[in-house]
Amino acid sequence: QVQYVESGGRSVQPGESLTLSCAASGFSIDNYAMTWYRQPPGKEREIVAVMSRAGDNVVYRDTVKGRFIMSRDSDKNTVYLQMNSLNPEDTALYYCKAAWPKSDMRGNIWGQGTQVTVSS
């Protein structure tokens, strides 16, 4: 059974750093591209970063380039999102998910997310 457990979110001040974790189970993260998403309050969910299946390439949304770093630990089946120089626009509920084929119902499964709040 596919499951994601996101953690690490909390309230921080602008300029601070956080590292989020997403522990996956029911599949191997080495077999799929992995994505970090976020949903800011009152807005649609958006893609933050996508790591290739091989783990050798990450694409970031423009607003986090140079500040966020996505990584993975295959032994722990966990992906991470290191977030630096946080600003209030980064406030959101953060999720991770594998890039399942469109026909795969496992693509409908989401974790509970982890809340990041950036405020002075």
Side-chain angles (χ1 to χ4, degrees):
Q1 181 179 357
V2 170
Q3 189 176 14
Y4 309 96
V5 179
E6 297 95 348
S7 62
R10 61 182 178 89
S11 293
V12 296
Q13 294 192 338
E16 292 188 349
S17 299
L18 272 180
T19 298
L20 307 182
S21 301
C22 172
S25 57
F27 71 101
S28 172
I29 62 172
D30 291 347
N31 293 336
Y32 298 91
M34 295 295 295
T35 303
W36 276 101
Y37 297 83
R38 67 185 181 187
Q39 186 165 17
K43 296 184 179 180
E44 297 291 319
R45 188 154 45 200
E46 59 192 27
I47 292 173
V48 178
V50 183
M51 175 178 281
S52 64
R53 174 180 171 178
D56 57 355
N57 186 47
V58 181
V59 178
Y60 299 93
R61 72 181 297 107
D62 286 346
T63 55
V64 308
K65 280 180 184 177
R67 299 189 297 122
F68 289 13
I69 301 172
M70 182 176 181
S71 61
R72 74 183 187 187
D73 184 331
S74 299
D75 291 339
K76 296 181 178 179
N77 214 41
T78 298
V79 293
Y80 302 94
L81 187 67
Q82 179 182 337
M83 305 187 297
N84 302 311
S85 301
L86 285 162
N87 59 61
E89 290 68 40
D90 297 316
T91 294
L93 190 59
Y94 285 72
Y95 305 86
C96 79
K97 198 162 80 74
W100 303 98
K102 287 187 177 180
S103 59
D104 196 324
M105 296 298 290
R106 289 176 292 183
N108 296 324
I109 298 172
W110 293 82
Q112 82 287 350
T114 187
Q115 179 68 41
V116 174
T117 302
V118 185
S119 173
S120 55

Short mmCIF file of all heavy atoms in Angstrom, two decimals, residues 24-34 72 74 77 98 100:
data_model
loop_
_atom_site.label_atom_id
_atom_site.label_comp_id
_atom_site.label_asym_id
_atom_site.label_seq_id
_atom_site.Cartn_x
_atom_site.Cartn_y
_atom_site.Cartn_z
N ALA A 24 8.44 7.44 2.11
CA ALA A 24 7.51 6.71 1.26
C ALA A 24 7.52 5.23 1.61
O ALA A 24 8.54 4.69 2.05
CB ALA A 24 7.88 6.90 -0.21
N SER A 25 6.40 4.58 1.41
CA SER A 25 6.32 3.14 1.61
C SER A 25 5.37 2.54 0.58
O SER A 25 4.56 3.25 -0.01
CB SER A 25 5.86 2.81 3.03
OG SER A 25 4.62 3.39 3.31
N GLY A 26 5.52 1.25 0.37
CA GLY A 26 4.68 0.56 -0.60
C GLY A 26 5.24 0.55 -2.01
O GLY A 26 4.65 -0.04 -2.90
N PHE A 27 6.36 1.19 -2.21
CA PHE A 27 7.05 1.21 -3.49
C PHE A 27 8.46 1.74 -3.24
O PHE A 27 8.76 2.25 -2.16
CB PHE A 27 6.32 2.10 -4.51
CG PHE A 27 6.43 3.58 -4.20
CD1 PHE A 27 7.33 4.39 -4.87
CD2 PHE A 27 5.61 4.16 -3.24
CE1 PHE A 27 7.43 5.74 -4.58
CE2 PHE A 27 5.70 5.50 -2.93
CZ PHE A 27 6.62 6.30 -3.61
N SER A 28 9.32 1.62 -4.24
CA SER A 28 10.68 2.14 -4.12
C SER A 28 10.79 3.47 -4.85
O SER A 28 10.44 3.57 -6.02
CB SER A 28 11.68 1.15 -4.73
OG SER A 28 12.96 1.74 -4.78
N ILE A 29 11.30 4.47 -4.15
CA ILE A 29 11.45 5.78 -4.78
C ILE A 29 12.47 5.74 -5.91
O ILE A 29 12.51 6.64 -6.74
CB ILE A 29 11.85 6.86 -3.75
CG1 ILE A 29 13.20 6.55 -3.11
CG2 ILE A 29 10.75 7.03 -2.71
CD1 ILE A 29 13.73 7.68 -2.24
N ASP A 30 13.30 4.70 -5.96
CA ASP A 30 14.29 4.58 -7.03
C ASP A 30 13.64 4.23 -8.36
O ASP A 30 14.29 4.31 -9.41
CB ASP A 30 15.32 3.50 -6.68
CG ASP A 30 16.21 3.90 -5.53
OD1 ASP A 30 16.22 5.10 -5.17
OD2 ASP A 30 16.91 3.04 -4.99
N ASN A 31 12.39 3.81 -8.33
CA ASN A 31 11.72 3.38 -9.56
C ASN A 31 10.85 4.45 -10.19
O ASN A 31 10.26 4.21 -11.26
CB ASN A 31 10.86 2.15 -9.27
CG ASN A 31 11.70 0.93 -8.92
OD1 ASN A 31 12.87 0.84 -9.30
ND2 ASN A 31 11.11 0.00 -8.18
N TYR A 32 10.75 5.61 -9.56
CA TYR A 32 9.88 6.67 -10.06
C TYR A 32 10.51 8.05 -9.88
O TYR A 32 11.28 8.26 -8.94
CB TYR A 32 8.54 6.66 -9.31
CG TYR A 32 7.76 5.37 -9.49
CD1 TYR A 32 7.93 4.32 -8.60
CD2 TYR A 32 6.90 5.21 -10.56
CE1 TYR A 32 7.25 3.12 -8.78
CE2 TYR A 32 6.21 4.02 -10.75
CZ TYR A 32 6.40 2.99 -9.85
OH TYR A 32 5.73 1.82 -10.04
N ALA A 33 10.16 8.95 -10.78
CA ALA A 33 10.46 10.35 -10.51
C ALA A 33 9.65 10.75 -9.27
O ALA A 33 8.54 10.25 -9.05
CB ALA A 33 10.08 11.21 -11.70
N MET A 34 10.22 11.65 -8.48
CA MET A 34 9.55 12.10 -7.26
C MET A 34 9.36 13.61 -7.30
O MET A 34 10.23 14.34 -7.79
CB MET A 34 10.38 11.72 -6.02
CG MET A 34 10.51 10.23 -5.78
SD MET A 34 8.94 9.43 -5.39
CE MET A 34 8.52 10.22 -3.83
N ARG A 72 17.50 12.65 -2.05
CA ARG A 72 16.84 11.42 -1.63
C ARG A 72 17.85 10.50 -0.96
O ARG A 72 19.05 10.57 -1.21
CB ARG A 72 16.18 10.71 -2.81
CG ARG A 72 17.13 10.02 -3.78
CD ARG A 72 16.36 9.41 -4.95
NE ARG A 72 17.22 8.60 -5.79
CZ ARG A 72 16.84 8.07 -6.95
NH1 ARG A 72 15.62 8.28 -7.41
NH2 ARG A 72 17.67 7.33 -7.65
N SER A 74 17.94 6.52 -0.75
CA SER A 74 17.30 5.30 -1.21
C SER A 74 17.19 4.25 -0.11
O SER A 74 16.21 3.49 -0.05
CB SER A 74 18.06 4.73 -2.41
OG SER A 74 18.08 5.65 -3.47
N ASN A 77 14.30 5.14 1.72
CA ASN A 77 13.13 5.37 0.86
C ASN A 77 12.48 6.71 1.18
O ASN A 77 11.25 6.82 1.31
CB ASN A 77 12.11 4.24 1.01
CG ASN A 77 11.39 3.94 -0.29
OD1 ASN A 77 12.01 3.92 -1.37
ND2 ASN A 77 10.10 3.70 -0.21
N ALA A 98 5.08 10.32 -5.86
CA ALA A 98 5.75 9.72 -7.00
C ALA A 98 5.01 10.08 -8.28
O ALA A 98 3.81 10.35 -8.26
CB ALA A 98 5.79 8.20 -6.84
N TRP A 100 3.43 8.68 -10.91
CA TRP A 100 2.83 7.46 -11.42
C TRP A 100 2.33 7.65 -12.84
O TRP A 100 1.98 8.76 -13.21
CB TRP A 100 1.64 7.05 -10.54
CG TRP A 100 2.02 6.86 -9.11
CD1 TRP A 100 1.88 7.74 -8.10
CD2 TRP A 100 2.63 5.69 -8.55
NE1 TRP A 100 2.36 7.22 -6.93
CE2 TRP A 100 2.82 5.97 -7.17
CE3 TRP A 100 3.04 4.46 -9.05
CZ2 TRP A 100 3.40 5.04 -6.30
CZ3 TRP A 100 3.60 3.54 -8.19
CH2 TRP A 100 3.78 3.83 -6.83
#
